[in-house]
Each structure stands twice: as structure tokens, then as C-alpha cells.
Amino acid sequence: MTGVGGGTEQGDGGADEPGWEVDPDDESGAAVVAAVGRQIKAWREAAGLRAGEFGAAIGYGEDLVRKVEGGRRIPRPEFLDRADEVVGAGGKLAAMKRDMAQVRYPKKIRELAKLEAQAVELLAYGNSSFHGLLQTAEYARALFSMRQPAYPQDEVERGVAARMGRQAIFERSPSPTLGFVQEEVTLRRPLGGKMVLRRQLEHLLEVGESRNVTVQVMPMDREEHAGIDGEIQVLKFRDGTAVGRSEGAFSGRPVSDPKQLRILELRYGMIRAQALSPRESMAFIEQVLGET
């Protein structure tokens, strides 16, 4: 039996898909979920509804309603929309969807997403898998699922949701400048299977058509390679500041000192120069797609 929106969380006595649990180690996130739960309960009681009646009205089980109100479960967007309608909250509960979406992400990912949301330019070089901002949900799920020690399923889904949420950067206005260099091997390694890779390559071609996005490929036949020390990412902000990180520099920690940033930018610039041009890269990706 399914309820409103057809999610597995609805009409099933409170059961739902993994990825909506509250992380007990994320104190700030747990506090936000608890505050939203109290608001939902207050609106429900003001409307004169018992938990079971409220659940039936919005298409969710009573047990899940109590978990949400008790701060033990992150409410889905559909839950908040229906709850808002049923209790007549006038959009006040529905407005909490953005907060819940952010809380669902691990704390360190929220911090990264915040930086990306503020950046006016992003430069990234990836050598083992597609950059997170370029990944499809299927590809991201495959990556999280193959982590060792194995992630619990709720952690896999939480990670996928966080990675997909970061891709809101492509919808920003004004658009930031985004530059990606991917190793050829990332285009050929069938992580998750050939169909997952095919859809990933198709997505890469689609993203590469955006005017503010540059995608380049570093071929495996290069005899000189400035990115041999590992991945690089640099984020630049409107006020002229920046933050960067590289696996092979400064112990892998984030840096913001201009001299250190200059080293990362120099390496990235050399990588771009050694890679295929954007036009050549798009043709190369299409060729690999045809061979996959």
C-alpha cells in the first residue's frame, strides 16, 4: 500500500527507505531535526489531531509521525508539504524542507556544499573517479556501495543525497565558472557496471555543453603529467579569497594562504595545458561512449 507521493515511507506503518535517519554524532543537525519535530507536533495538537489521525490524513504511519515529532527521523519533503496542508500552517512547515535537505547531508559535506555555493570559480582535477559535481546518482551510489569497510545502506543513501544536493551549483544565477579535468581512466573504468558508466558519460557530455562549464580529459598516453601527486580542487570567492586542497600537497589539508594557493593553481594550470582541449575532450568522451 502506498500513500501520498508513493514513497516507501508512506502508508507502511512508519517504515521508510534508508537515508532519513538522524546522525547521532551530528549534534547541530540533530538539534534542527528536533526543533522541526516540535513544530510539527505543536501544529498537529493545535489542529486537534491525534498522531494516528494526523498520520492517516497525510498518508504516513503513526509510528513514523511519532519518530519525526520526537526528532528521531528526518521528514521527507512530501511529509512536510502534506502536514502543512492538513494543519493549515500556511507554508510555515513546508518552508522547512530546505533545512531538512541540508541536515540530511553529513556535517563535513554541508560545509563543502556551503563553500561551493559561495564560489564564483571552481577548478578541479580528478584521477580515480568522476568529480562529485559531475556524478549521476547511480554512479555515486556505486562508489559509496563499494567503500570498505562497507557502509550501512542508510549511510550510502545519505551520501548519494548529499552529493546530488551539491549539484545545485549548476543552477545558480549568476553562474559560477566551473572547470574539470578528468583522467582518461575515469572514463573507461566501469564502476557500477557498463550501463552505469554509459549514463555517466552521457551526463558528462550534457554538463560539458553548459557555457560556464569546461570539461577536459587527460589522456593516458601523456609522457609528462603535472597531476601525478593526486586530485586538486580550488574554490575562488567574490571577495578575492580562495581555498584549495590537493592530495599531494600540504599534507592534504585545505589551504587558504596565497602562496600555497598559487602552487595549486600553477599545478592545475599545467594539468589543463597538458590535457586535451575542451573541444577535443568532448569528441574523446563521445568516442569512449561509443566503445562502452
Side-chain angles (χ1 to χ4, degrees), residues 127-261:
N127 63 357
S128 59
S129 62
F130 288 94
H131 189 277
L133 293 178
L134 299 175
Q135 294 175 12
T136 64
E138 287 179 303
Y139 187 89
R141 185 171 291 106
L143 293 184
F144 282 113
S145 296
M146 63 183 68
R147 294 279 181 89
Q148 294 295 330
Y151 281 12
Q153 189 59 33
D154 64 303
E155 288 298 319
V156 170
E157 295 305 323
R158 191 188 299 271
V160 173
R163 192 155 291 179
M164 295 303 100
R166 287 168 51 203
Q167 295 181 11
I169 192 172
F170 292 107
E171 302 170 4
R172 277 177 42 198
S173 181
S175 302
T177 299
L178 307 174
F180 302 94
V181 180
Q182 289 288 153
E183 283 289 335
E184 178 184 343
V185 67
T186 65
L187 276 60
R188 297 187 180 278
R189 182 177 288 136
L191 299 178
K194 284 193 174 182
M195 289 309 299
V196 171
L197 178 60
R198 281 190 59 84
R199 285 188 282 267
Q200 177 62 63
L201 292 172
E202 291 169 351
H203 179 67
L204 186 61
L205 287 169
E206 181 180 346
V207 171
E209 293 177 356
S210 301
R211 295 176 60 188
N212 63 310
V213 179
T214 300
V215 175
Q216 292 179 255
V217 175
M218 175 67 81
M220 290 189 292
D221 64 2
R222 291 296 190 255
E223 295 182 359
E224 294 187 7
H225 194 333
I228 203 69
D229 284 336
E231 297 181 354
I232 296 174
Q233 178 159 306
V234 177
L235 298 168
K236 299 182 180 180
F237 308 106
R238 192 174 302 280
D239 62 1
T241 61
V243 62
R245 180 183 175 278
S246 173
E247 292 178 340
F250 316 117
S251 302
R253 69 181 186 279
V255 297
S256 56
D257 179 84
K259 292 182 180 179
Q260 295 173 324
L261 285 167

Side-chain angles (χ1 to χ4, degrees), residues 51-53 64 98 142 174 176 208 219 233 236 254 266 279-280 282 289:
E53 297 171 332
L64 189 135
R98 182 176 180 181
Q233 178 159 306
K236 299 182 180 180
L266 175 63
R279 184 182 297 274
E280 292 170 332
M282 289 296 100
L289 176 60

